[in-house]
Amino acid sequence: MFFGIVHLVGMVATVVMSALLWRQRARQGRAWPWLMAGLVAGVLWPVTLWPAVAAYWHRKGESAKAPLIAGACALGAVIMLLVVGGLSGTDQRAQPAGPQVLREPSSPPPSVITPEPVLAPPPQQDRAQVRDVLDDDRVLIQVPGRELQVVRIAGVQAPAEGECWSSEARAFAEGALRDATVQVTFGVGWSSGRSPEPEVSLILADGAEYSSLALQQGAARLYPQAFLAEGLTSELTQAEATAKTAGRGLWGQQCSAARAAPVPPQAEEVLPAYYATCEQARAAGAAPLRRGDTGYSSTLDSDGDGIACD
């Protein structure tokens, strides 16, 4: 009777556990409960069977080995349960089910994401040869491996033709730049109101910056609408101030007197109000005369088309 009750309890427990696992699998749609059901059935049935076998041996033959058999059975059952628990715990950690509680991070995320700073590319530098000086502040250069290119010398404005010191400024530019090998730095700035040639800084063979040198010698003036790199702007401003203080070139006494001298007004040419004949109009350089011009008359417009002496 005792053995029958023990076996019956083990069978019922196995069936109940399998049914519970089946319901959980149907509810969550997972496959691992099937494995658990098989393992539990394999563990729970021997757990109920081994004590019965041990008790049988104890009552049957009064054998001294009966306690050892019962202990070994119990130890095997405990080990099997630990293995099953470890496997199921690992599976649950790998694939958590149900809502998860998010832990608060150790440091709160920043509310505003600071963008990465955008660094401007460094200015392009090349060695080149000056092929020609075009108009004192524009030159034609040849970078090895490239076509000829017209560039503008950054920040300077040479005196216009006919202006005081224009010929001297031209001679200075020709002597310093023509056929010279220079270090060209592109992208140093731009100037408003000028042609679209790129603004460059020219470093001569002795290391001098040409714009600064020309301003120091009074061979050019600082272009008022030049927008250059901060360091270059301050250098050129100081160079022009040095020339003004020393009275060189454009800032010398000769050019100061020419700027101070009044310009005599040009007498306006007065055209006669009437020409008796077309010969007189042609001799004065006024023919042909159109209706509304000074000296036009209908008597000189024989065909009446509004143009006399045509």
Side-chain angles (χ1 to χ4, degrees):
M1 175 67 88
F2 175 77
F3 297 111
I5 293 174
V6 171
H7 283 281
L8 182 60
V9 171
M11 293 174 62
V12 171
T14 302
V15 171
V16 171
M17 185 61 66
S18 298
L20 292 176
L21 292 173
W22 166 256
R23 292 185 62 186
Q24 184 180 5
R25 189 264 179 191
R27 184 169 59 251
Q28 298 184 358
R30 296 183 178 180
W32 67 267
W34 283 100
L35 178 61
M36 293 294 295
L39 292 175
V40 170
V43 171
L44 194 58
W45 182 254
V47 167
T48 60
L49 181 61
W50 291 336
V53 173
Y56 173 78
W57 277 96
H58 181 69
R59 291 188 59 187
K60 178 75 174 177
E62 298 293 334
S63 173
K65 296 182 179 180
L68 295 177
I69 295 174
C73 292
L75 182 60
V78 170
I79 293 175
M80 183 65 69
L81 289 175
L82 290 177
V83 171
V84 172
L87 291 176
S88 62
T90 303
D91 185 73
Q92 289 177 357
R93 287 192 298 270
Q95 297 182 352
Q100 301 297 312
V101 178
L102 298 179
R103 292 181 298 176
E104 184 177 357
S106 57
S107 59
S111 57
V112 178
I113 299 176
T114 304
E116 292 290 335
V118 178
L119 301 179
Q124 176 187 350
Q125 294 184 344
D126 293 291
R127 293 196 64 82
Q129 187 175 19
V130 180
R131 296 297 187 184
D132 193 12
V133 178
L134 302 180
D135 52 8
D136 305 346
D137 53 14
R138 291 192 311 150
V139 293
L140 183 67
I141 65 171
Q142 173 74 66
V143 177
R146 303 182 192 173
E147 297 181 354
L148 293 172
Q149 183 179 8
V150 178
V151 296
R152 185 176 295 279
I153 303 172
V156 298
Q157 182 180 25
E161 185 177 355
E163 187 180 353
C164 180
W165 213 256
S166 60
S167 58
E168 291 84 352
R170 177 74 180 190
F172 177 83
E174 290 276 355
L177 295 177
R178 182 178 290 276
D179 297 328
T181 300
V182 296
Q183 184 77 24
V184 184
T185 303
F186 292 85
V188 296
W190 63 283
S191 297
S192 176
R194 282 183 159 183
S195 54
E197 291 88 4
E199 301 264 342
V200 300
S201 173
L202 300 180
I203 306 298
L204 303 178
D206 58 358
E209 206 282 327
Y210 175 78
S211 298
S212 179
L213 182 62
L215 291 172
Q216 286 180 6
Q217 298 302 319
R221 59 174 61 91
L222 186 64
Y223 188 71
Q225 294 177 296
F227 301 91
L228 308 174
E230 183 177 355
L232 185 59
T233 298
S234 59
E235 179 182 352
L236 299 188
T237 302
Q238 182 61 40
E240 186 180 57
T242 300
K244 289 181 179 180
T245 302
R248 297 173 185 158
L250 284 166
W251 315 109
Q253 184 176 2
Q254 177 183 351
C255 293
S256 299
R259 285 193 295 269
V263 179
Q266 294 182 353
E268 295 184 359
E269 182 180 2
V270 180
L271 298 177
Y274 173 74
Y275 296 103
T277 63
C278 286
E279 286 73 14
Q280 292 182 359
R282 293 189 181 95
L289 296 169
R290 290 174 173 79
R291 185 180 287 112
D293 293 345
T294 301
Y296 172 85
S297 66
S298 58
T299 57
L300 301 179
D301 188 1
S302 58
D303 54 4
D305 61 352
I307 303 177
C309 302
D310 53 352

